[in-house]
Amino acid sequence: ALEQSYAQLRQSELATARQSARQQERERLLRDMHDGLGAQLMTALRGVERGALGRDQIAQSLLDGLDELRMLMDSADMGADLSAALAAWRNRWDARLGAVDVQLHWELDDSMDDVVLSSDQLLQVMRVLQESATNVVKHAQARNMHVQVRVEGQAPGPQVLLFALQDDGQGLAAPDGTPGHRGLRNMRHRAETIGAMLEVGNRPAPERGCRVVLRVPLPATLPGQAVPG
């Protein structure tokens, strides 16, 4: 009877924990939709109402909203597959970059195959990647964009998931990447919310262009890896 009572209690605790996790995920999605997609649509609406946006600007605003919606969907599943999310992003951006004559060079190291991020981590990482690529398309006047993803460090010690994006365009006006551009501020804020480190700056001479590096700390042991005895 005692064992049965304990089992029932354990099942009740698990059910409560699952319900709490679902509620937290729902609240996160609603918050992200309000702060991300909702804000973008409201900005576009106000621009249309005031006659301040041309056709191309409206189209870009709608495209940005679609991108945000897709990223929310990609991150909706707890413990989402990073490789799958990156593959979906690349599939969407290949044609977009090609339309402006920017060649995408993609390098994903095998070391990150087992990496699983939380929904919020994945969403913020993809937003930083998205903002970086958007800056290349809008401002860099580049011909090539390189994206590299790998894990630095050895388990079971500290490890970092590294994202590096660089282009061969005109670079930033300020070499240290500190101007008050909204996009850069947003990227830094997104990195801070998940405890990641973001570096933005020009590539060292004689190379041209900008380099964005995002480092996301990982647990000491990745999923699927055994801790040495």
Side-chain angles (χ1 to χ4, degrees), residues 75-108:
S75 68
D77 189 15
M78 278 290 200
D81 188 334
L82 174 62
S83 296
L86 288 171
W89 186 90
R90 179 185 181 183
N91 184 57
R92 291 196 296 267
W93 271 81
D94 260 332
R96 192 178 305 179
L97 291 167
V100 292
D101 296 325
V102 177
Q103 179 67 42
L104 176 61
H105 305 270
W106 195 260
E107 182 181 345
L108 267 64

Side-chain angles (χ1 to χ4, degrees), residues 14-209:
L14 290 174
T16 300
R18 286 194 292 267
Q19 178 63 28
S20 177
R22 285 193 294 267
Q23 180 64 24
Q24 290 177 6
E25 180 68 0
R26 179 176 180 273
E27 291 175 356
R28 183 192 70 82
L29 284 172
L30 290 173
R31 182 177 65 253
D32 287 333
M33 289 180 68
H34 176 272
D35 296 342
L37 180 60
Q40 287 179 338
L41 293 177
M42 183 59 66
T43 299
L45 176 60
R46 291 291 178 260
V48 171
E49 290 175 342
R50 297 168 183 168
L53 298 180
R55 178 177 177 179
D56 291 344
Q57 292 171 307
I58 295 172
Q60 183 62 52
S61 294
L62 294 176
L63 182 60
D64 291 343
L66 284 174
D67 283 336
E68 176 68 18
L69 178 60
R70 287 164 178 152
M71 286 190 294
L72 284 170
M73 294 172 65
D74 289 341
S75 68
D77 189 15
M78 278 290 200
D81 188 334
L82 174 62
S83 296
L86 288 171
W89 186 90
R90 179 185 181 183
N91 184 57
R92 291 196 296 267
W93 271 81
D94 260 332
R96 192 178 305 179
L97 291 167
V100 292
D101 296 325
V102 177
Q103 179 67 42
L104 176 61
H105 305 270
W106 195 260
E107 182 181 345
L108 267 64
D109 193 87
D110 292 341
S111 62
M112 45 80 63
D113 284 347
D114 294 327
V115 173
V116 177
L117 301 178
S118 70
S119 299
D120 191 47
Q121 283 179 312
L122 178 61
L123 179 61
Q124 302 308 331
V125 164
M126 298 309 296
R127 279 173 167 169
V128 170
L129 179 60
Q130 178 93 0
E131 187 72 42
S132 301
T134 299
N135 288 338
V136 172
V137 171
K138 290 183 176 180
H139 309 298
Q141 300 179 16
R143 286 293 172 261
N144 294 277
M145 186 176 80
H146 297 259
V147 176
Q148 183 184 56
V149 186
R150 69 175 186 272
V151 173
E152 293 185 335
Q154 295 293 326
Q159 292 182 299
V160 172
L161 181 61
L162 180 140
F163 291 81
L165 183 149
Q166 64 183 27
D167 64 77
D168 58 356
Q170 61 184 2
L172 297 169
D176 61 356
T178 56
H181 295 301
R182 181 182 177 187
L184 288 175
R185 292 200 305 270
N186 287 343
M187 289 165 61
R188 296 189 189 283
H189 174 71
R190 299 187 195 292
E192 290 172 0
T193 61
I194 57 174
M197 296 292 295
L198 180 70
E199 300 173 10
V200 182
N202 288 333
R203 299 170 66 189
E207 297 179 328
R208 300 178 67 250

